[in-house]
């Protein structure tokens, strides 16, 4: 991960977290527009609630910047040179962490479109819940500013998630590799979230998300391959000594016993174009059995995971785990439905939506 | 502090005029030694003792060395610098003139001393001599041109010293893929007369003839005597016109004989130094003491001062020595041109090449191939192997060898069977990327009477040109005398006058026995083929080259990976397009818009 200016994995993580946050906010806004706004037919209240959403988001974002900045600043001022000769091991381990994070995250990206649906439920649930916190100061406050607190918490949570993931993924990069991908991720994520709010063509958005996910997994596969490559390179340096291993691309810079291909050009450590190739696809000019096999195994694992998930979607359970999955899911769904019905019953009794309206 | 006896044996001018036969009965076995007082190690001892004794004789004497090998490994002995005219089979290099002497066997070397000067003997099986199997060989000549100019005749050996067993180093540290740059093992110490802190007790106003011999395996050393200059009178067995000098650069295997006159006063002792040429070492460990000091001891009770640090090495360039016999420059009849290259082969190890061939020993010692081949085939270099750098010369030809150095190292090359004329030797080039290549139409500096010797160093990125007359029928090895480089294959085999070899050379029974007992073929071409000498199938060859670029394996791997990636992305697309429906179903259930599915997953 010797990317010096634009760390691709950072971009993707920030993009994804921003996207999720902006989807939630857009759902919230759509909720307001359709639900409260329409029924109350009161533009002032609507506008105020919308402002709450934005203020909540902004405060959450600000907190994220502070925490993120502090985290990264502390790490870099403590100095990155603590690893010296074990640098390759750290590179390998960080690549591995990055790929795990990306792999798990990536699947979620495909579901962002249906996130809208899920969040419709979650927000409704969240709003119902607030009504039962009692009459204390905090309860009144949170009811009054529910529309601000929810986005605040959401943005804060997504933001801290992003910071933690970014930290796990990119701590081996120089500090100047952060600003650009972070900003790009924020911009891209917000843009897509806005498009989704506008309710744009579902199909087009889904294609976009698919494309983005494919790209993400290319990066993930590359990272996995790189992780294995770095760990093997570390072993080679131990055998042959730092000098010989770093000596350009000639004989001695790689272990002939483990080599699948080796070309003396196209080294991602030295040439800019190939560095990008390396960041996106895990390209190495000197590939080992480990790095090639791990790349292929990653994709095979993804394909298996997709097959399993599709199976579940179609039949409702994972293969071989039929009784466990069904019971699990059916229970969950029944529980949430029961909760929802209870809330709705209480709401009708207490007229809680009126309460929200009157308290602002 | 140690006194080491290095005064040569008791030969005086009054010795018998008639040539005699000197016999050495040596049993070779492992003994322990600790010459640098840093590490006790196993070394090759002769008759249970180390350092090894000197072989001495007068011009014309016959020497018989009868060895019994109890080392648990093969061995052989080469008498460095002796021409072995008519006795090529006694020269010693394994798989060139003989099979190795098997463990437990007896072997006799029998030859006459037909030349003058200072020489040495050493093992010529793998890197064995670095384990201590080496010693001086001194020849006395009643007709020395300078015989009246000195009072005492002594020898002084210098060497590098390793704590580890040499062949173990080659196998595990040096000639492996773990050492892709071919970094030679760094010595652990330097020795003078196989010891340190040598006190050379001298008489005042006395001229000593000192035979300086570098019996090391790797490093060239500078030698100088504080407060004393000297005259060079002989190099590698060739008498030269007295040449005054104050410092010499002695590569391994070279000999310089000097006359040094001691001072009149006995008040002080003077240090004399040998110092490693550090340019030859790839790295310099802190623990290495690369200067070895001795003392010209006038007063054994006096002080022994440390040697002074000097700023630069101002040594005499042996190129300018003038042989006493002033032999005229030969005109070349045939030229062999070779470039020294160090590179890696497919096993990852670093090898040494002449052009693109690294020497790989044949299955049959080349001399035995010469003798067993049909007469017409024996003059064809092809039968001696495609990986042996073999060349065939006719009797009486003047052979010119041009070596261009494609490497930034200094290489001391040695020719068996001859002392050659040094026609030219270039300087080192100014930068590692430039090479000075010999151009016959644009010659460099030449002497009117060329210097002659048998071991000459090649400067980094430079060249040298040597000539000799092919009047000594035999198979002669030409190789770098750095043992590590010899193991890397920096050698060529010169088959000189094969027809005359077949007439004059006979192999004694114990030499044939050595082949049989050791399981080696003793007839046939380099592939041990006795039916068709031009069929080299099965000969030993160098490892394959490193694959350059993509091999079949690489292309398959790359294509397969791309296919995996595309397939994977296809699956993801499939997933992305198909799973929205289920979530909508779930959410609708939660919101109460549709009835719950029952436990079996069926909608009600």
């Amino acid at each position: 991960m010797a990317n010096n200016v634009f760390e691709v994995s950072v971009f993707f993580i920030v993009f994804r977290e921003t996207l999720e946050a902006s989807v939630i906010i857009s759902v919230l806004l759509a909720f307001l527009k359709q639900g409260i706004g329409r029924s109350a037919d009161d533009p002032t209240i609507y506008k105020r609630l919308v402002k709450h959403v934005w203020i909540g988001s902004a405060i959450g974002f600000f907190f994220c910047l502070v925490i993120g900045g502090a985290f990264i600043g502390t790490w870099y001022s403590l100095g990155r040179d603590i690893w010296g000769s074990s640098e390759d091991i750290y590179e390998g381990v960080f690549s591995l962490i990055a790929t795990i994070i990306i792999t798990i995250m990536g699947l979620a990206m495909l579901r962002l479109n249906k996130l809208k649906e899920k969040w419709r439920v979650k927000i409704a649930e969240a709003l119902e819940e607030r009504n039962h916190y009692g009459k204390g100061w905090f309860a009144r406050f949170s009811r009054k500013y529910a529309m601000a607190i929810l986005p605040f918490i959401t943005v804060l949570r997504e933001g801290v998630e992003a910071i933690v993931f970014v930290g796990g993924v990119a701590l081996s990069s120089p500090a100047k590799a952060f600003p650009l991908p972070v900003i790009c991720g924020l911009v891209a994520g917000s843009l897509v979230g806005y498009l989704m709010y506008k309710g744009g063509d579902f199909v087009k958005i889904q294609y976009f998300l698919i494309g983005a996910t494919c790209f993400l997994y290319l990066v993930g596969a590359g990272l996995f391959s790189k992780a294995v490559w770095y760990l093997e390179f570390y072993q080679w340096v131990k055998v042959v000594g730092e000098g010989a291993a770093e000596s350009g691309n000639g004989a001695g810079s790689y272990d002939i016993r483990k080599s699948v291909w080796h070309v003396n050009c196209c080294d991602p450590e030295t040439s800019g174009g190939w560095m990008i190739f390396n960041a996106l696809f895990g390209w190495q000019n000197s590939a080992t059995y480990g790095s090639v096999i791990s790349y292929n195994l990653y994709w095979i694992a993804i394909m298996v995971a997709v097959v399993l998930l599709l199976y579940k979607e179609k039949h409702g359970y994972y293969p071989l785990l039929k009784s466990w999955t069904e019971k699990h899911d059916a229970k969950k769904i029944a529980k949430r439905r029961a909760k929802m019905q209870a809330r709705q019953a209480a709401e009708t009794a207490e007229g809680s939506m009126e309460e929200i309206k009157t308290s602002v | 502090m140690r006194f080491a006896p290095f005064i040569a044996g008791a030969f005086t001018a009054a010795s018998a005029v008639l040539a005699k036969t000197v016999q050495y009965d040596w049993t070779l076995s492992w003994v322990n030694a600790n010459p640098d007082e840093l590490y006790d190690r196993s070394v090759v001892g002769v008759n249970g003792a180390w350092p090894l004794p000197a072989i001495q004789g007068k011009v014309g004497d016959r020497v018989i060395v009868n060895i019994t090998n109890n080392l648990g490994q093969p061995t052989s002995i080469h008498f460095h610098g002796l021409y072995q005219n008519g006795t090529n089979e006694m020269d010693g290099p394994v798989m060139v003139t003989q099979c190795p002497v098997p463990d437990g066997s007896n072997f006799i070397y029998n030859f006459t001393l037909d030349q003058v000067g200072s020489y040495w003997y050493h093992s010529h099986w793998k890197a064995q001599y670095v384990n201590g199997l080496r010693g001086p060989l001194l020849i006395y000549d009643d007709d020395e041109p300078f015989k009246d100019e000195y009072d005492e005749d002594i020898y002084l050996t210098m060497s590098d010293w390793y704590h580890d067993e040499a062949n173990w180093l080659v196998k595990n540290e040096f000639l492996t893929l773990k050492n892709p740059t071919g970094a030679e093992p760094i010595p652990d110490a330097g020795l003078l007369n196989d010891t340190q802190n040598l006190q050379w007790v001298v008489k005042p106003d006395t001229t000593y003839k000192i035979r300086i011999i570098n019996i090391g395996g790797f490093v060239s050393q500078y030698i100088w005597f504080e407060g004393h200059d000297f005259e060079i009178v002989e190099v590698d067995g060739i008498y030269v016109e007295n040449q005054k000098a104050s410092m010499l650069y002695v590569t391994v295997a070279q000999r310089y004989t000097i006359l040094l006159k001691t001072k009149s006063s006995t008040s002080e002792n003077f240090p004399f130094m040998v110092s490693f040429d550090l340019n030859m070492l790839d790295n310099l460990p802190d623990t290495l003491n690369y200067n070895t000091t001795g003392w010209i001891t006038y007063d054994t009770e006096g002080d022994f001062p440390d040697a002074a640090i000097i700023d630069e090495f101002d040594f005499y360039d042996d190129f300018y020595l003038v042989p006493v016999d002033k032999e005229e420059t030969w005109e070349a009849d045939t030229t062999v041109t070779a470039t020294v290259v160090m590179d890696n082969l497919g096993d990852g190890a670093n090898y040494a090449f002449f052009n693109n061939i690294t020497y790989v020993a044949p299955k049959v010692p080349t001399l035995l191939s010469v003798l067993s081949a049909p007469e017409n085939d024996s003059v064809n270099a092809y039968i001696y192997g495609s990986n042996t750098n073999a060349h065939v010369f006719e009797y009486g030809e003047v052979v010119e060898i041009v070596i261009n150095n494609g490497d930034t190292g200094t290489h001391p090359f040695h020719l068996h069977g001859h002392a050659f004329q040094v026609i030219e030797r270039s300087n080192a080039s100014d930068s590692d990327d430039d090479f000075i290549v010999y151009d016959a139409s644009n010659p460099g500096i030449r002497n009117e009477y060329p210097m002659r010797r048998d071991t000459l160093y090649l400067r980094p990125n430079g060249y040298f040109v040597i000539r000799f007359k092919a009047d000594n029928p035999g198979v002669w090895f030409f190789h770098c005398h750095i043992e590590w480089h010899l193991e890397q294959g920096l050698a060529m085999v010169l088959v000189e006058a094969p027809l005359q070899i077949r007439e004059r050379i006979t192999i004694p029974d114990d030499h044939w026995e050595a082949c049989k007992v050791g399981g080696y073929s003793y007839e046939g071409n380099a592939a041990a083929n006795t039916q068709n000498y031009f069929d080299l199938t099965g000969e030993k060859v160098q490892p394959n080259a490193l694959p350059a670029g993509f091999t079949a394996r690489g292309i398959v791997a790359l294509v397969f990976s791309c296919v995996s990636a595309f397939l994977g992305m296809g699956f993801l697309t499939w997933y992305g397009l198909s799973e929205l429906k289920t979530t909508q179903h779930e959410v609708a259930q939660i919101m109460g818009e549709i009835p719950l599915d029952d436990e079996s997953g069926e909608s009600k």
Side-chain angles (χ1 to χ4, degrees):
Chain A
M1 297 204 287
N3 231 319
N4 281 328
V5 164
F6 191 91
E7 187 56 59
V8 175
S9 30
V10 172
F11 167 74
F12 271 110
I13 289 169
V14 174
F15 172 69
R16 187 260 179 174
E17 300 295 341
T18 310
L19 193 52
E20 188 163 342
S22 57
V23 163
I24 293 166
I25 292 171
S26 77
V27 168
L28 208 51
L29 290 170
F31 202 75
L32 285 178
K33 196 166 182 190
Q34 291 160 0
I36 299 177
R38 210 168 282 154
S39 58
D41 229 337
D42 191 339
T44 331
I45 293 174
Y46 170 68
K47 279 202 192 116
R48 188 175 283 175
L49 290 175
V50 167
K51 232 185 352 181
H52 279 196
V53 171
W54 283 116
I55 291 173
S57 313
I59 296 175
F61 186 65
F62 172 74
F63 269 73
C64 285
L65 285 180
V66 167
I67 294 174
F71 184 72
I72 288 170
T74 321
W75 175 264
Y76 278 96
S77 64
L78 284 179
R80 282 187 342 112
D81 294 323
I82 51 175
W83 39 51
S85 69
S86 334
E87 187 181 332
D88 294 314
I89 282 216
Y90 279 98
E91 293 271 11
V93 169
F94 282 136
S95 295
L96 204 54
I97 294 174
T99 195
I100 291 172
I101 290 171
I102 285 178
T103 309
I104 296 172
M105 253 180 39
L107 285 170
M109 269 214 0
L110 284 171
R111 300 176 161 202
L112 277 176
N113 224 356
K114 75 178 185 184
L115 205 63
K116 264 170 79 174
E117 303 296 314
K118 274 203 160 155
W119 271 101
R120 185 155 73 92
V121 177
K122 275 192 171 163
I123 288 171
E125 285 177 342
L127 286 177
E128 306 300 339
E129 233 174 315
R130 284 211 181 1
N131 295 329
H132 299 272
Y133 263 138
K135 307 288 179 192
W137 166 90
F138 185 69
R140 262 204 301 271
F141 176 82
S142 46
R143 235 175 285 139
K144 183 166 175 176
Y145 293 107
M147 286 294 132
I149 290 172
L150 189 58
F152 167 75
I153 289 176
T154 305
V155 170
L156 191 61
R157 194 196 66 228
E158 301 296 344
V160 170
E161 238 178 65
I163 290 163
V164 169
F165 288 163
V166 162
V169 154
L171 281 177
S172 57
S173 305
K176 64 177 155 83
F178 280 87
L180 193 57
V182 166
I183 291 171
C184 287
L186 287 170
V187 167
S190 313
L191 194 64
V192 176
Y194 176 71
L195 289 173
M196 291 177 84
Y197 165 69
K198 281 297 194 193
D201 192 336
F202 159 73
V203 173
K204 282 212 191 102
I205 289 185
Q206 190 68 354
Y207 282 156
F208 167 78
L209 284 173
I210 289 172
T213 310
C214 284
F215 211 58
L216 191 71
Y217 277 106
L218 272 175
V219 173
L223 277 173
F224 189 57
S225 167
K226 276 202 294 186
V228 173
W229 188 90
Y230 268 112
L231 292 172
E232 286 194 305
F233 189 68
Y234 172 75
Q235 285 179 332
W236 176 241
V237 170
K238 291 217 97 136
V239 164
V240 110
E242 299 246 350
E246 313 282 315
S247 61
N249 278 308
S253 63
Y254 65 103
D255 189 341
I256 184 76
R257 299 168 295 189
K258 299 193 178 151
S259 174
V260 172
W261 74 72
H262 177 90
V263 282
N264 286 343
C265 70
C266 321
D267 182 352
E269 303 268 334
T270 53
S271 126
W274 293 102
M275 197 187 292
I276 294 177
F277 228 59
N278 171 265
L280 295 179
F281 307 114
W283 159 260
Q284 290 290 355
N285 67 316
S286 182
T288 63
Y289 281 104
S291 73
V292 168
I293 289 175
S294 59
Y295 190 82
N296 285 281
L297 280 181
Y298 184 89
W299 280 117
I300 291 172
I302 295 296
M303 291 192 260
V304 166
V306 165
V307 165
L308 285 178
L309 286 168
L310 283 175
Y311 190 93
K312 164 131 188 304
E313 303 283 347
K314 186 161 180 202
H315 300 274
Y317 53 87
Y318 293 112
L320 306 177
L321 290 173
K322 177 166 173 177
S323 42
W324 180 83
T325 320
E326 279 188 321
K327 267 206 211 107
H328 190 66
D329 281 353
K331 267 209 198 118
K332 246 195 344 194
I333 291 176
K335 223 171 154 180
R336 291 174 80 185
R337 172 167 161 141
K339 248 192 183 166
M340 179 64 83
Q341 287 177 327
R343 299 283 190 275
Q344 284 171 340
E347 170 201 320
T348 336
E350 296 181 17
S352 56
M353 296 303 278
E354 307 301 317
E355 234 180 289
I356 293 179
K357 276 188 292 186
T358 52
S359 63
V360 295
Chain B
M1 300 281 184
R2 219 180 278 134
F3 287 61
F6 65 126
I7 298 179
F11 277 76
T12 65
S15 290
V17 172
L18 294 168
K20 42 194 246 285
T21 299
V22 189
Q23 173 145 343
Y24 297 88
D25 293 302
W26 287 351
T27 301
L28 304 176
S29 62
W30 294 101
V31 298
N32 277 357
N34 187 358
D36 56 356
E37 289 185 342
L38 293 174
Y39 186 79
D40 194 65
R41 63 160 289 185
S42 284
V43 297
V44 177
V46 157
N47 298 337
W50 187 88
L52 305 196
I55 293 178
Q56 312 179 68
K58 291 186 79 169
V59 179
D61 282 354
R62 173 169 292 277
V63 172
I64 300 178
V65 182
N66 172 14
I67 64 171
T68 305
N69 178 6
N70 284 346
L71 292 172
Q73 59 186 224
T75 191
S76 82
I77 302 189
H78 166 59
F79 304 91
H80 184 112
L82 295 193
Y83 305 140
Q84 304 284 7
N85 200 327
T87 50
N88 179 229
E89 74 279 11
M90 303 298 176
D91 192 38
V94 166
M95 299 324 281
V96 178
T97 57
Q98 64 169 89
C99 295
V101 178
D103 174 43
S105 288
N106 226 67
F107 200 89
I108 296 181
Y109 292 95
N110 185 334
F111 50 89
T112 51
L113 302 176
D114 287 329
Q115 57 205 98
V116 299
S118 312
Y119 303 86
W120 60 303
Y121 65 88
H122 58 88
S123 165
H124 220 293
W125 176 74
K126 298 202 171 184
Q128 196 182 57
Y129 93 72
V130 178
N131 290 329
L133 211 185
R134 76 269 195 280
L137 194 157
L138 316 171
I139 304 182
Y140 299 92
D141 175 21
D142 290 333
D143 298 319
E144 263 173 345
F146 46 88
K147 64 180 190 294
D148 299 321
E149 297 174 39
Y150 64 91
D151 305 305
E152 295 205 35
D153 185 337
I154 59 176
Y155 69 82
L156 179 66
T157 65
M158 63 175 82
S159 84
D160 41 39
W161 187 247
Y162 289 88
H163 292 164
D164 295 304
E165 199 269 302
N167 286 314
W168 179 91
L169 281 174
V170 169
K171 180 154 182 245
N172 294 294
E173 307 269 306
F174 178 60
L175 206 54
T176 91
L177 59 73
K178 297 191 316 187
N179 183 19
T181 55
E184 299 87 358
I186 307 292
D188 295 298
L191 300 175
L192 271 173
N193 273 2
D194 284 329
T195 184
Q196 292 186 338
N197 298 316
L198 183 64
Q199 288 178 9
W200 169 34
V201 179
V202 299
K203 300 192 271 277
D205 271 321
T206 314
T207 305
Y208 290 87
K209 169 186 165 192
I210 312 177
R211 305 164 184 258
I212 299 173
I213 315 174
N214 188 336
I215 57 174
F218 173 31
V219 188
S220 310
Q221 303 207 48
Y222 300 97
I223 182 169
W224 69 99
F225 301 81
E226 267 187 33
H228 298 69
D229 285 347
F230 47 84
E231 289 181 343
I232 307 171
V233 289
E234 175 229 315
V235 288
D236 291 359
I238 304 294
Y239 292 136
V240 295
E241 293 185 345
N242 290 25
Q243 174 59 52
K244 210 176 175 73
S246 53
M247 182 188 287
L248 298 174
Y249 179 80
V250 188
T251 74
V252 291
Q254 284 186 333
R255 290 84 65 210
Y256 282 85
T257 300
I258 62 174
L259 300 180
L260 187 146
K261 183 161 179 168
T262 54
K263 297 189 185 305
S264 312
S265 137
T266 58
S267 52
E268 316 179 51
N269 298 323
F270 290 83
F272 66 92
M273 292 280 287
V274 286
S275 183
F276 282 9
D277 176 4
L278 296 178
N279 289 326
M280 299 181 79
L281 302 180
D282 277 350
N283 70 76
L284 192 54
D286 292 331
T287 47
L288 173 62
N289 186 1
Y290 47 84
N291 294 321
T292 313
T293 313
W295 284 271
I296 309 177
T297 310
Y298 291 93
D299 177 4
T300 49
E301 306 298 319
D303 286 333
F304 294 93
D306 288 333
I309 313 279
I310 57 171
D311 289 328
E312 48 160 14
F313 295 107
D314 187 16
F315 59 94
Y316 184 78
D317 183 351
D318 60 335
F319 181 76
Y320 296 103
L321 293 169
V322 181
V324 162
D325 62 16
K326 290 197 164 75
E327 187 178 81
E328 300 273 341
T329 308
W330 294 118
E331 287 305 312
D333 293 319
T334 177
T335 303
V336 172
T337 308
T339 303
V340 172
V341 173
M342 313 286 261
D343 198 4
N344 299 70
L345 288 177
D347 60 356
N350 190 266
Y351 289 87
F353 301 77
F354 274 126
N355 304 325
N356 59 344
I357 307 279
T358 179
Y359 177 81
V360 177
K363 288 184 170 174
V364 174
T366 308
L367 173 59
L368 301 184
S369 292
V370 173
L371 296 174
S372 62
E375 184 165 314
N376 289 341
D377 297 352
S378 71
V379 296
N380 192 322
Y382 185 79
I383 71 169
Y384 302 115
S386 60
N387 236 127
T388 50
N389 283 319
H391 300 268
V392 174
F393 306 118
E394 280 180 22
Y395 185 83
E397 278 195 289
V398 172
V399 179
E400 177 180 76
I401 299 184
V402 174
I403 305 291
N404 290 306
N405 198 352
D407 175 56
T408 52
T410 303
H411 297 278
F413 280 100
H414 167 52
L415 174 62
H416 289 220
H418 294 272
F420 44 76
Q421 292 187 339
V422 179
I423 308 299
E424 282 189 47
R425 174 169 61 192
S426 78
N427 287 330
S429 79
D430 291 324
S431 94
D432 284 354
D433 301 316
D434 292 329
F435 297 93
I436 308 177
V437 177
Y438 175 63
D439 178 3
S441 58
N442 199 0
I445 303 172
R446 298 188 178 197
N447 294 319
E448 189 187 353
Y449 301 109
M451 187 269 284
R452 302 203 308 279
R453 66 184 315 162
D454 62 52
T455 308
L456 181 73
Y457 70 92
L458 180 64
R459 292 199 175 104
N461 287 9
Y463 69 83
F464 69 50
V465 180
I466 60 177
R467 290 181 193 158
F468 63 95
K469 190 158 196 197
D471 55 6
N472 184 1
V475 177
W476 306 114
F477 217 17
F478 175 78
H479 62 91
C480 178
H481 217 288
I482 294 176
E483 273 303 272
W484 315 120
H485 295 179
L486 178 55
E487 289 300 295
Q488 281 179 297
L490 194 51
M492 57 169 83
V493 174
L494 308 183
V495 179
E496 184 172 321
L499 300 176
Q500 285 71 15
I501 295 176
R502 296 158 64 88
E503 285 168 16
R504 305 184 197 182
I505 306 291
T506 49
I507 309 292
D509 289 338
D510 58 334
H511 291 216
W512 294 117
E513 263 312 291
C515 290
K516 291 178 191 152
V517 171
Y520 287 88
S521 306
Y522 46 86
E523 285 173 331
N525 62 7
N529 190 332
T530 48
Q531 305 306 315
N532 178 3
Y533 277 73
F534 288 92
D535 179 9
L536 290 173
T537 321
E539 70 165 336
K540 295 199 189 151
V541 291
Q542 64 197 44
N544 285 331
L546 280 173
F550 277 85
T551 55
R553 176 172 50 175
I555 295 175
V556 163
L558 192 58
V559 164
F560 210 76
S561 304
C562 291
V563 165
S564 297
F566 278 110
L567 267 183
M569 293 197 282
F571 271 62
L572 286 171
T573 308
W574 178 28
Y575 178 64
L577 291 174
S578 78
E579 49 79 85
L580 183 64
K581 235 175 25 164
T582 321
T583 310
Q584 288 175 327
H585 188 72
E586 257 183 40
V587 168
Q589 285 178 74
I590 294 174
M591 297 302 272
E593 288 157 14
I594 60 170
L596 276 178
D597 296 340
D598 67 17
E599 295 270 307
S600 66
E602 302 293 327
S603 307
K604 283 209 187 93

